[in-house]
Amino acid sequence: SSSSSSSSSYVSSSSSTSSVSSASYCVCKCEQDATSSTSVPKGGTPTPLLERVICAGLGSFASSHQATVQLALLQLIMEQLPAPSEGLHIYEPLLDADELSALSSWSAELSYPVQVHPILLELEQSSPPCWHSNSPAKEQQQEQTPPSLDIDPANTPATSPSTLLYVLPHCPLAFLDRLLSIHKHHEQYPLRKVILLGNSLETYDLRLMTTQDREKATHVLECIEVSTEHPLPPYKASPGAFNDLAVVSFDV
């Protein structure tokens, strides 16, 4: 369709810009740093370093220039990173049939699975490894039941070096705070195995002025001391696309 083809062509052209390329480099560098100390047993097979990429909150890239630029960044990141063993998972309830078709065409060119879930991504503290899918509408749930994202603990030992990459552009503060609270105490996926492309934690520290606001971001603020941030460069064609976004890695 014309909508899907135009979206796909824009993704390709946007990926060549220096700003998007610089942002992609930040993510790739963090992934390399997070896994550089991994050792491979003599004569053994190295464990896949990047296990899963989870993207949520892009919005409709057919109707939003900002969303399309963010999708272009995701595309370039996936082209440059090592293939994730558990693939790429995209959560977005606003995608229409043309957008789903465009993503399907792109995913067909990749060497790993891409699963698009036209639903919201929810987090459950009591459901390790913290990914839980829940459709906001019964009609949508009847159309497509997403596959489970649960990982069998027996196949994922606590010593696994695998890394998770979250791509969450401009996600709500409450969502980010819950995500960090889960990984702070997660046995298999502690913060040191997480790379986050999302809102800058340091920016929250500067902007949350009242006690009430800071109480809503307890885990975000606590994680600042154990995190390293690489701010994404500005993108003049769409200033809001990367505004206040950063690639964040953790030391614990």
Side-chain angles (χ1 to χ4, degrees):
S1 67
S2 58
S3 175
S4 61
S5 61
S6 61
S7 298
S8 298
S9 61
Y10 185 83
V11 169
S12 299
S13 62
S14 294
S15 296
S16 63
T17 66
S18 59
S19 294
V20 179
S21 298
S22 297
S24 175
Y25 171 80
C26 289
V27 177
C28 296
K29 182 65 168 61
C30 281
E31 193 277 337
Q32 292 172 1
D33 292 344
T35 58
S36 60
S37 61
T38 301
S39 60
V40 180
K42 185 176 181 179
T45 302
T47 303
L49 299 183
L50 183 61
E51 180 174 310
R52 182 182 302 240
V53 179
I54 302 166
C55 177
L58 280 176
S60 170
F61 57 85
S63 58
S64 168
H65 183 259
Q66 176 174 303
T68 311
V69 173
Q70 292 168 350
L71 177 60
L73 172 60
L74 175 64
Q75 183 189 49
L76 190 57
I77 289 171
M78 298 309 297
E79 290 176 354
Q80 296 185 359
L81 285 176
S85 59
E86 296 293 332
L88 166 65
H89 295 260
I90 300 175
Y91 291 82
E92 180 49 66
L94 298 180
L95 299 176
D96 61 22
D98 289 340
E99 291 169 307
L100 291 173
S101 177
L103 289 176
S104 178
S105 298
W106 169 48
S107 65
E109 302 174 0
L110 303 175
S111 61
Y112 47 82
V114 177
Q115 297 187 24
V116 181
H117 313 286
I119 55 175
L120 295 172
L121 172 62
E122 296 187 357
L123 302 174
E124 292 292 341
Q125 184 78 40
S126 59
S127 180
C130 83
W131 304 300
H132 174 67
S133 309
N134 186 26
S135 174
K138 289 184 178 179
E139 294 80 6
Q140 193 178 62
Q141 190 170 15
Q142 292 173 353
E143 290 178 4
Q144 177 174 344
T145 301
S148 171
L149 287 184
D150 288 339
I151 294 180
D152 184 357
N155 296 328
T156 311
T159 56
S160 170
S162 297
T163 302
L164 305 176
L165 169 61
Y166 287 96
V167 180
L168 308 171
H170 304 306
C171 71
L173 174 59
F175 184 95
L176 179 59
D177 197 64
R178 184 182 301 177
L179 177 71
L180 295 178
S181 72
I182 291 172
H183 283 291
K184 277 174 61 180
H185 307 290
H186 205 284
E187 181 179 354
Q188 296 172 353
Y189 300 96
L191 283 172
R192 67 177 180 274
K193 296 183 181 180
V194 171
I195 298 174
L196 171 67
L197 171 54
N199 296 350
S200 165
L201 309 189
E202 295 177 359
T203 299
Y204 278 125
D205 189 29
L206 295 174
R207 293 183 178 176
L208 298 177
M209 304 300 293
T210 69
T211 301
Q212 183 177 7
D213 287 341
R214 294 183 74 85
E215 287 177 349
K216 297 177 181 178
T218 302
H219 303 288
V220 168
L221 299 176
E222 287 179 353
C223 286
I224 292 176
E225 295 184 1
V226 296
S227 66
T228 301
E229 291 196 4
H230 300 273
L232 267 63
Y235 183 62
K236 294 182 180 180
S238 182
F242 301 156
N243 183 46
D244 290 338
L245 294 186
V247 183
V248 186
S249 56
F250 302 92
D251 303 326
V252 295

